[in-house]
Amino acid sequence: MNSIESKIQALREELHQHNYNYYILDKPIVSDYEFDMKLKELQDLEEKYPEFADSNSPTQRVGGYVTKKFNTIQHRNRMYSLDNSYSYEELEDYEKRIKKLVEDEDIEYVCELKYDGASISLSYEDGKLTQALTRGDGFQGDDVTANIRTIKSIPLILHGDYPDSFDIRGEIVFPNEDFEKLNNSRIKNGEEPYANPRNLASGTLKMQDSKEVARRPLECLLYFLVGEDISVESQFDALEKARSMGFKVPEISEKFKNIEGVKGFIEKWDTKRHELKYETDGVVIKVNSLSQQEELGYTAKAPRWAIAYKFKAEQKSTVLKEITYQVGRTGAVTPVANLEAVQLAGTVVKRASLHNADQIEKLDIRVGDTVFVEKGGEIIPKIIGVDFSKRHTDSSKTEYIETCPECGSELVRKENEAQHYCLNSYNCPPQIKGKIEHFISRKAMDIDGLGAETIDLLFSVGLIHNIGDLYDLKSKKTELLSLDRMAEKSVNNLLEGIEASKNIEFEKVLFALGIRYVGETVAKKLARYFKSIDSICNATFEELVQVDEIGERIAESVISYFNDNRNIEILNVLKANGLNFVIDESEIDGSSDVLSGKTFVVSGVFENYSRNDLKKEIEKYGGKISSSISKKTDFLVAGEKMGPSKLEKANKLEVKIISEPEFVEMIR
């Protein structure tokens, strides 16, 4: 290493340490001026000697990188949501559930405050920040790495003892004091103030110019390590380890032996949360032991080993001006309360869902009533009651509509269903547009350049009437260019996005069709079992219910869909345009149904597979994955560092325990 490179490296290390002292320890040892002078010296050297560039240099904190489009990237480890609770009774029920799964073991809980910000997942390799992804849909998120590098509380280079490769999860937050200062400045300048710190943090993360992001005082609070081998045995130890590596980890966290201790923590911080530097909306309760976390596993959406307790939502009263009705893509009709605007939990609320006719009947809600509104989970506004003392004497009972507000068709309410439905699915405008929006969505065909507004425009001028018409737009480029907001570049992006969707795999195409009850998981099951759309189309009821997780309701819906000639006509158009309606040979190459009908639990660390890869192999060969051991479990694939409770439970239930090599032999 020559003298220039050595000097650059020394300056970087010194500045990283000063950042850590200032933003993590809150103990600066140099003045701002001294820091700025050293940073300027480093910038000058890096400009003069670009061969020594480093994406994790402290100079990247100032930004300057412009992102025209944020790429969507799959998370290495899925980002789950948390189940919410709103009462101590729900917490007690939660404890009963997990104690049934973790038998004969003491459970310790860790309580942490739930900070209200934008979720982020940071990836580190060999102690260096390599990638930062937003939550997205939990499976994939937007790459905001350039913007994240500007946040000074996020370490670009780690110190201490750190794993070779891991992710860490946290929240990007906007401090309350800085939020108030910014809003006061905007009001003084005649600008609209921002609604709340969370939305501002989220919006800042998606700004295109990282230099603008660097000007805003975002902070990052980290709380969860994810990796195959992070060398800790508990969540509390993981927090300490994260601190030792240089991360800003909130100091407020406590361990408790029972839910009674948890309740005390909640009561304390429900009162004191308004004194904190950041917005909080609840407490997260986690099972402390990582081996117990692994044993408890996950539901389809959330970890079983954690739950959020949401502080009581703020309530306000306002006047219900009008009830209108929205029609969704499935034909479900939802009543909506249009309210006199009211400030609630940091945002202005003008509308709230009334859910269905039963809810209106139960609360006896009428136009002109003064109603009580709160945000469910402090996110979705809902009406929780009526102030009958203020009801007008001439008010009349709300009569639920009998015909569709969009197409005039008679509404139907099926037995055992709360919703009213419009069955005119092929001629009702919001249903048609809703199906197209579902088809082009990220989890389905993922068509860039096409959103709800563009679909509305194309539908209104008669260029599209169903999903099949999207693939005829390439022949109507002249008509597209004549539309408002449709310049040459946006039209080309739209057509390129439609063309690229022809490469989407079959299981996503099947999901995109919008068959009722066929979500992502069911679409994957059907695609992998039947291998082609024609086989699904010709399947009998008996054949469909043979598929894992396909019940009678789903089977009836699938048969109904393929018995409709209008659907077959659209499918023929999609086939003619080259969409994938057959499983790709590379997906089934070498696979078989050798594990069909068998349920597996995977636990521990393995030599040749990550746990996620091992689970994919099981599914590839027809097996089913379960996160917890039960009487229905056929095999426990056991690796090193497996929790003793899982082993004990497998032996107790006489579940067969196999090693990694034995599993490999099974699929051979």
Side-chain angles (χ1 to χ4, degrees):
M1 185 181 293
N2 65 38
S3 60
I4 296 297
E5 187 178 2
S6 297
K7 187 171 185 179
I8 288 174
Q9 190 60 34
L11 275 170
R12 286 173 180 163
E13 290 174 5
E14 184 181 356
L15 288 166
H16 279 310
Q17 185 62 43
H18 288 319
N19 262 320
Y20 175 71
N21 293 341
Y22 189 95
Y23 293 101
I24 308 299
L25 301 181
D26 197 22
K27 294 178 181 177
I29 59 173
V30 296
S31 67
D32 290 349
Y33 176 78
E34 288 176 277
F35 181 90
D36 291 342
M37 289 300 99
K38 287 184 181 294
L39 185 64
K40 180 67 168 63
E41 182 183 0
L42 178 58
Q43 285 175 315
D44 292 342
L45 285 170
E46 287 182 343
E47 286 177 15
K48 192 172 181 180
Y49 301 99
E51 64 269 27
F52 301 129
D54 183 347
S55 60
N56 285 316
S57 169
T59 57
Q60 299 302 302
R61 300 288 195 191
V62 298
Y65 185 84
V66 176
T67 305
K68 292 186 177 178
K69 179 188 175 186
F70 293 96
N71 293 323
T72 301
I73 296 175
Q74 187 169 345
H75 289 291
R76 294 197 296 192
N77 298 281
R78 180 179 166 186
M79 290 187 76
Y80 285 87
S81 300
L82 284 173
D83 286 332
N84 291 326
S85 62
Y86 299 92
S87 68
Y88 289 157
E89 290 78 13
E90 288 178 327
L91 278 186
E92 288 161 1
D93 289 342
Y94 166 73
E95 183 175 45
K96 289 174 186 174
R97 290 198 302 271
I98 62 174
K99 280 191 170 180
K100 284 182 181 178
L101 294 169
V102 183
E103 296 175 358
D104 304 320
E105 287 187 41
D106 292 331
I107 298 175
E108 186 174 57
Y109 303 98
V110 173
C111 288
E112 304 164 30
L113 291 179
K114 187 174 184 297
Y115 294 96
D116 202 11
S119 296
I120 198 73
S121 180
L122 309 176
S123 295
Y124 286 81
E125 303 289 337
D126 298 322
K128 295 181 180 180
L129 176 67
T130 56
Q131 192 173 75
L133 302 180
T134 61
R135 176 191 292 280
D137 62 6
F139 294 95
Q140 54 188 5
D142 291 332
D143 186 350
V144 290
T145 310
N147 287 345
I148 284 296
R149 291 188 198 280
T150 68
I151 300 175
K152 297 178 179 65
S153 56
I154 293 178
L156 304 179
I157 304 289
L158 302 180
H159 57 251
D161 178 27
Y162 47 78
D164 294 336
S165 176
F166 70 98
D167 295 343
I168 187 166
R169 306 278 166 73
E171 296 288 313
I172 304 296
V173 294
F174 208 104
N176 292 333
E177 186 178 343
D178 294 303
F179 177 74
E180 289 176 17
K181 283 180 183 175
L182 182 59
N183 265 355
N184 288 338
S185 173
R186 290 179 68 82
I187 293 168
K188 189 176 180 180
N189 294 330
E191 298 174 295
E192 188 75 19
Y194 292 110
N196 55 58
R198 178 186 57 201
N199 290 356
L200 180 55
S202 182
T204 301
L205 268 190
K206 298 299 291 292
M207 294 176 78
Q208 292 185 323
D209 188 348
S210 62
K211 191 172 286 186
E212 292 301 314
V213 179
R215 292 193 177 107
R216 293 192 173 175
L218 293 179
E219 293 188 27
C220 183
L221 307 176
L222 285 308
Y223 51 73
F224 187 54
L225 287 170
V226 187
E228 288 293 318
D229 187 10
I230 55 175
S231 303
V232 291
E233 296 182 356
S234 71
Q235 166 64 11
F236 203 78
D237 291 345
L239 295 176
E240 288 300 320
K241 186 172 181 68
R243 285 190 189 97
S244 73
M245 289 189 280
F247 293 107
K248 190 178 183 73
V249 176
E251 293 295 332
I252 301 168
S253 59
E254 290 186 49
K255 292 184 287 186
F256 299 99
K257 297 291 186 183
N258 51 47
I259 288 295
E260 291 307 311
V262 171
K263 291 176 186 176
F265 184 91
I266 290 169
E267 288 168 6
K268 174 182 176 181
W269 288 106
D270 193 7
T271 304
K272 294 184 67 176
R273 61 187 167 119
H274 302 292
E275 303 169 13
L276 295 170
K277 183 178 178 182
Y278 316 103
E279 285 280 309
T280 59
D281 60 355
V283 170
V284 179
I285 302 103
K286 300 173 184 174
V287 171
N288 192 28
S289 165
L290 297 190
S291 63
Q292 287 180 338
Q293 285 186 12
E294 187 187 344
E295 182 172 355
L296 289 164
Y298 298 81
T299 65
K301 295 181 180 178
R304 291 191 182 92
W305 45 264
I307 193 168
Y309 180 93
K310 301 301 283 285
F311 294 134
K312 186 170 176 58
E314 182 185 358
Q315 294 180 8
K316 290 283 181 70
S317 64
T318 188
V319 175
L320 171 58
K321 294 166 31 177
E322 181 187 19
I323 296 175
T324 54
Y325 297 83
Q326 288 183 338
V327 183
R329 72 175 176 88
T330 64
V333 176
T334 303
V336 177
N338 294 272
L339 309 164
E340 283 188 4
V342 61
Q343 186 81 15
L344 185 64
T347 58
V348 176
V349 172
K350 296 180 181 178
R351 289 155 61 87
S353 171
L354 290 170
H355 302 293
N356 51 54
D358 289 347
Q359 184 72 359
I360 292 174
E361 179 78 22
K362 178 183 175 183
L363 297 177
D364 187 19
I365 295 173
R366 306 180 185 185
V367 171
D369 278 346
T370 296
V371 295
F372 299 108
V373 186
E374 74 173 28
K375 281 192 176 182
E378 301 210 15
I379 298 174
I380 303 168
K382 63 178 180 180
I383 292 176
I384 58 168
V386 176
D387 187 345
F388 293 106
S389 68
K390 295 183 179 179
R391 173 170 282 174
H392 299 294
T393 54
D394 61 348
S395 80
S396 56
K397 189 177 177 66
T398 299
E399 297 293 335
Y400 204 87
I401 58 170
E402 296 180 351
T403 58
C404 176
E406 298 287 343
C407 68
S409 300
E410 185 177 350
L411 298 182
V412 174
R413 183 174 180 178
K414 297 178 183 178
E415 190 176 351
N416 299 323
E417 291 209 20
Q419 299 284 153
H420 285 71
Y421 285 88
C422 168
L423 302 183
N424 185 24
S425 59
Y426 291 90
N427 296 296
C428 184
Q431 291 189 63
I432 297 169
K433 290 186 283 187
K435 287 175 183 175
I436 298 172
E437 286 177 32
H438 171 75
F439 183 80
I440 63 100
S441 65
R442 180 181 285 180
K443 292 182 181 180
M445 302 304 288
D446 194 18
I447 298 179
D448 281 339
L450 189 56
E453 288 186 8
T454 305
I455 288 170
D456 198 44
L457 175 63
L458 297 178
F459 181 82
S460 67
V461 297
L463 286 177
I464 55 172
H465 303 89
N466 58 56
I467 57 177
D469 291 340
L470 293 171
Y471 295 90
D472 190 39
L473 289 176
K474 59 181 178 291
S475 65
K476 300 177 180 178
K477 186 172 181 179
T478 303
E479 293 170 75
L480 289 172
L481 288 168
S482 68
L483 300 175
D484 289 341
R485 306 190 310 276
M486 297 294 281
E488 181 86 28
K489 186 176 180 180
S490 57
V491 169
N492 286 339
N493 287 341
L494 166 61
L495 297 179
E496 286 170 10
I498 292 171
E499 188 64 27
S501 72
K502 295 178 182 180
N503 298 317
I504 294 292
E505 58 266 34
F506 172 40
E507 62 191 45
K508 288 192 174 183
V509 178
L510 182 60
F511 169 62
L513 295 178
I515 303 171
R516 197 171 183 200
Y517 307 129
V518 177
E520 288 178 272
T521 302
V522 170
K524 182 183 289 187
K525 298 276 185 186
L526 289 170
R528 298 195 173 189
Y529 186 90
F530 289 103
K531 307 292 193 287
S532 72
I533 195 75
D534 291 336
S535 296
I536 299 173
C537 181
N538 296 319
T540 64
F541 177 85
E542 290 73 21
E543 288 171 331
L544 285 164
V545 294
Q546 286 297 312
V547 183
D548 182 36
E549 295 186 23
I550 307 300
E552 294 182 4
R553 186 176 69 165
I554 296 173
E556 288 169 355
S557 178
V558 170
I559 289 171
S560 174
Y561 180 88
F562 288 107
N563 280 344
D564 193 316
N565 287 331
R566 291 168 297 188
N567 291 331
I568 299 301
E569 288 175 14
I570 293 171
L571 281 175
N572 288 334
V573 171
L574 298 177
K575 286 180 181 178
N577 278 281
L579 272 69
N580 287 322
F581 283 110
V582 179
I583 281 279
D584 192 295
E585 287 299 321
S586 64
E587 292 183 43
I588 59 175
D589 183 37
S591 68
S592 70
D593 293 330
V594 68
L595 304 182
S596 181
K598 304 297 182 185
T599 299
F600 291 76
V601 171
V602 177
S603 182
V605 178
F606 300 91
E607 187 176 343
N608 298 308
Y609 292 97
S610 70
R611 276 198 298 273
N612 284 339
D613 288 341
L614 194 55
K615 290 175 182 178
K616 287 177 184 176
E617 285 293 286
I618 290 168
E619 290 181 333
K620 177 181 174 182
Y621 287 91
K624 182 180 178 181
I625 299 295
S626 176
S627 59
S628 59
I629 295 171
S630 69
K631 292 177 181 178
K632 296 180 180 179
T633 307
D634 295 293
F635 296 97
L636 168 62
V637 188
E640 292 182 17
K641 300 183 181 179
M642 183 180 71
S645 56
K646 239 173 193 160
L647 182 62
E648 185 181 336
K649 194 167 186 179
N651 286 324
K652 182 179 178 181
L653 296 175
E654 297 182 349
V655 172
K656 187 168 183 181
I657 301 167
I658 61 174
S659 64
E660 181 182 8
E662 287 173 316
F663 169 76
V664 172
E665 280 301 312
M666 286 179 72
I667 61 177
R668 280 180 182 165

